[in-house]
Amino acid sequence: MSSFQPWIKRYSGAGGGAALVFPHAGGAALAYRALGAALAAGGSDTYVMQYPQRGDRLTHPAPETVGDLAADLFDGGDWAGLGPLRLFGHCMGAVVAFEFARVAESKGIAVDSLWVSASEAPSTVAAAPALPMAEAEIIAEMVDLGGTDPQLLADDDFVELLLLAVRADYAAFNRYACDEGVRIAADIHTLGGDADHRVNENMLRRWETHTTGAFTVSMFDGGHFYINEHIAEVAELVHAL
């Protein structure tokens, strides 16, 4: 019997440790296939998370909070046997990864580093405007952020499934709060796009308060989904530090 749920997508690497990837709000594991493969090619076994309410977890209940989602993902695998973990999260996925790190560290599982991509710091989420829940506003949000093929947004069946996933994630995120003094021992490395109109470098730097370890900021050309054009460079950076 496998020690990992089938909805955790694994990409085999030849090195030690493991990299875990946490998608953005509404994102499916399939969208991170290229990053998963690139991280695995760099050496680490890579595991891409699948959140409830999409893909092969379509019928799984939506989590109440980001903390509940992180706990659900943690329970999906035997992480203790993998060696030091490297966590990578994009946008909301970075906050999910942060909460996952808190769970892992509380259970004595070593987390080497948290890689934060295009995300506001946990302690700033509660004060930010609530994410939209109405269909028209969610679609407008997807268009504004980029990262979703406009042709897909014209497909009613796709939009129906997208709304299910986004609403589940947005609701959990809107209920999230974290004090500025909450810290993890893992190093935090932040990444962002220099043309991202949602998350700028100053916002990324707010993550420094959430680690007792090392902290770095790296900026790339591009917007909120800069990562789509820099997969190889991001994977190389994750393995270099």
Side-chain angles (χ1 to χ4, degrees):
M1 181 177 177
S2 174
S3 57
F4 293 89
Q5 291 291 337
W7 42 261
I8 297 174
K9 313 305 178 185
R10 180 174 182 266
Y11 299 82
S12 297
L20 282 59
V21 178
F22 298 78
H24 59 281
L30 183 63
Y32 289 81
R33 178 173 55 186
L35 178 61
L39 288 170
S44 298
D45 282 353
T46 301
Y47 300 81
V48 181
M49 300 299 184
Q50 184 83 294
Y51 304 160
Q53 301 280 286
R54 74 214 69 195
D56 47 359
R57 301 196 70 189
L58 187 62
T59 60
H60 292 197
E64 283 291 312
T65 68
V66 170
D68 291 336
L69 174 56
D72 169 77
L73 299 173
F74 183 86
D75 289 343
D78 180 15
W79 310 109
L82 299 182
L85 306 178
R86 295 181 177 185
L87 312 181
F88 183 98
H90 183 73
C91 197
M92 186 194 86
V95 179
V96 179
F98 175 75
E99 290 298 325
F100 186 101
R102 291 180 67 190
V103 175
E105 290 186 351
S106 74
K107 296 181 181 295
I109 296 175
V111 179
D112 180 67
S113 56
L114 168 61
W115 292 81
V116 169
S117 175
S119 174
E120 58 194 305
S123 56
T124 66
V125 172
L131 296 172
M133 298 299 287
E135 177 177 346
E137 293 175 343
I138 289 175
I139 298 302
E141 181 95 345
M142 296 299 101
V143 172
D144 183 60
L145 288 172
T148 305
D149 187 338
Q151 289 186 328
L152 291 177
L153 293 176
D155 184 314
D156 290 342
D157 292 335
F158 173 82
V159 168
E160 182 179 358
L161 293 174
L162 177 65
L163 289 172
L164 188 68
V166 172
R167 283 190 177 121
D169 294 347
Y170 278 12
F173 200 69
N174 284 340
R175 299 185 186 104
Y176 181 74
C178 178
D179 292 337
E180 189 170 319
V182 176
R183 293 175 173 83
I184 58 175
D187 297 340
I188 293 181
H189 303 290
T190 60
L191 313 169
D194 59 9
D196 187 347
H197 63 296
R198 292 298 190 92
V199 180
N200 59 36
E201 183 176 342
N202 288 335
M203 294 170 72
L204 291 173
R205 290 189 180 279
R206 295 288 294 275
W207 277 89
E208 187 171 8
T209 65
H210 290 296
T211 179
T212 59
F215 177 79
T216 65
V217 179
S218 300
M219 302 301 293
F220 294 83
D221 294 336
H224 192 67
F225 280 91
Y226 74 92
I227 189 172
N228 292 339
E229 284 73 51
H230 298 282
I231 288 174
E233 295 164 78
V234 169
E236 183 178 355
L237 187 59
V238 170
H239 285 297
L241 294 179

